[in-house]
């Protein structure tokens, strides 16, 4: 199984600041078809997860351009700029390149 | 508007069975793979099952393979998860999700399953 390792476990940020979350996979996430199925999710307190980014760098419908994804192979990053109160919660990366689909353990974003 | 509404959760004894349902609306259900993802209390996300558009292909992690069965009724726009031989470690909130481009683009509100004697 592909192990997804997220760092850091938690982050403190000031409103308006910028943060980066790292996600590393134990195997390359490049599919046989050439696509890389790495997604990012945000779970706000008391809510279901929501998709932010799919295929490494594509913002899902309605997602602010303050969120950006990058990376390739086994190393990926989510950047959040101009952090707003509504951005707080737990961020997860997930891979859909192979079964079983797996998620990182999460990164909790809190206010400083 | 895409909506996924789960039902069927509750308290069940170890070794017993439970069936979850998910009613989908706001999109052409038969065109999408669908999935179940769970989250144990205070823990992260764990993918549980995925089913193809026609239902002919299903996928499970080893943790539930042989005990859980995902199915769908495209005529009713409904997704199901039959859970047998339940264990305490199956205690979690179960989310119905649309499986799209290698990720999960829409999620239900979740339904709680507690396995305890």
């Amino acid at each position: 199984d592909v192990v997804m390792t997220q760092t850091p476990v938690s982050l403190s940020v000031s409103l308006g600041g910028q943060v980066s979350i790292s996600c590393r996979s134990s195997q390359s996430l490049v599919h046989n078809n050439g696509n890389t199925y790495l997604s990012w999710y945000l779970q706000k307190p008391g809510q279901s997860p929501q998709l932010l980014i799919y295929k490494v760098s594509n913002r899902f419908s309605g997602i602010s351009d303050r969120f950006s994804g990058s990376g390739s192979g086994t190393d990926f990053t989510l950047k959040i700029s101009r952090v707003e109160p509504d951005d707080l919660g737990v961020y997860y990366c997930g891979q859909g390149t192979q079964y079983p689909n797996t998620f990182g353990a999460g990164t909790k974003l809190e206010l400083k | 508007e895409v909506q996924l509404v789960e039902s069927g959760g509750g308290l069940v004894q170890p070794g017993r069975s439970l069936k979850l349902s998910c009613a989908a609306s706001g999109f052409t259900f038969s065109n999408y793979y669908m999935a179940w993802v769970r989250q144990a209390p205070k823990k992260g996300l764990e993918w549980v099952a995925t089913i193809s558009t026609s239902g002919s292909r299903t996928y499970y992690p080893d943790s539930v393979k042989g005990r859980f069965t995902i199915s769908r009724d495209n005529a009713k726009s409904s997704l199901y998860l039959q859970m047998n031989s339940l264990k305490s470690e199956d205690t979690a909130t179960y989310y119905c999700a649309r499986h799209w481009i290698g990720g999960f683009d829409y999620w239900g509100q979740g339904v709680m399953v507690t396995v305890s004697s």
Side-chain angles (χ1 to χ4, degrees):
Chain A
D1 298 2
V2 179
V3 176
M4 306 297 289
T5 303
Q6 277 183 245
T7 54
V9 172
S10 63
L11 266 178
S12 293
V13 63
S14 300
L15 293 178
Q18 177 175 298
V19 296
S20 292
I21 300 171
S22 172
C23 177
R24 289 187 173 177
S25 57
S26 60
Q27 304 171 32
S28 172
L29 297 187
V30 180
H31 193 275
N32 290 340
N33 64 15
N35 290 312
T36 300
Y37 297 108
L38 185 282
S39 300
W40 289 95
Y41 305 86
L42 166 60
Q43 187 172 30
K44 300 177 185 178
Q47 295 187 19
S48 304
Q50 63 179 103
L51 178 64
L52 300 174
I53 301 284
Y54 64 95
K55 285 204 305 180
V56 181
S57 60
N58 296 274
R59 275 186 298 275
F60 187 56
S61 174
I63 300 303
S64 168
D65 60 4
R66 296 184 299 102
F67 294 88
S68 63
S70 63
S72 64
T74 61
D75 286 352
F76 305 93
T77 301
L78 175 71
K79 288 185 179 178
I80 312 167
S81 61
R82 304 185 305 280
V83 169
E84 300 179 355
D86 199 43
D87 300 338
L88 304 182
V90 181
Y91 289 81
Y92 295 95
C93 61
Q95 67 83 17
T97 294
Q98 61 175 268
Y99 288 109
N101 290 176
T102 48
F103 295 93
T107 296
K108 187 171 186 179
L109 185 62
E110 301 173 303
L111 269 182
K112 191 175 291 183
Chain B
E1 178 193 6
V2 172
Q3 284 199 315
L4 299 169
V5 180
E6 302 95 337
S7 60
L11 174 64
V12 60
Q13 294 179 327
R16 303 298 290 265
S17 299
L18 198 64
K19 186 173 185 177
L20 305 182
S21 300
C22 172
S25 61
F27 65 103
T28 303
F29 181 75
S30 58
N31 286 353
Y32 290 86
Y33 278 45
M34 296 296 296
W36 290 94
V37 178
R38 69 184 179 184
Q39 186 171 35
K42 304 295 186 185
K43 298 294 185 182
L45 303 171
E46 180 187 15
W47 167 74
V48 171
T50 287
I51 188 167
S52 63
T53 51
S54 65
S56 61
R57 291 187 299 275
T58 57
Y59 308 85
Y60 307 93
D62 287 346
S63 58
V64 308
K65 195 176 296 182
R67 299 189 300 121
F68 288 13
T69 302
I70 188 172
S71 62
R72 65 190 297 162
D73 184 336
N74 286 341
K76 294 183 177 180
S77 295
S78 293
L79 179 71
Y80 307 99
L81 185 67
Q82 176 68 47
M83 304 184 292
N84 298 332
S85 304
L86 282 161
K87 307 175 181 180
S88 58
E89 51 263 43
D90 295 319
T91 293
T93 297
Y94 285 74
Y95 296 100
C96 166
R98 197 170 78 171
H99 204 155
W100 178 79
I101 309 187
F104 308 96
D105 62 346
Y106 288 97
W107 300 62
Q109 84 285 355
V111 63
M112 185 68 199
V113 173
T114 302
V115 184
S116 174
S117 53

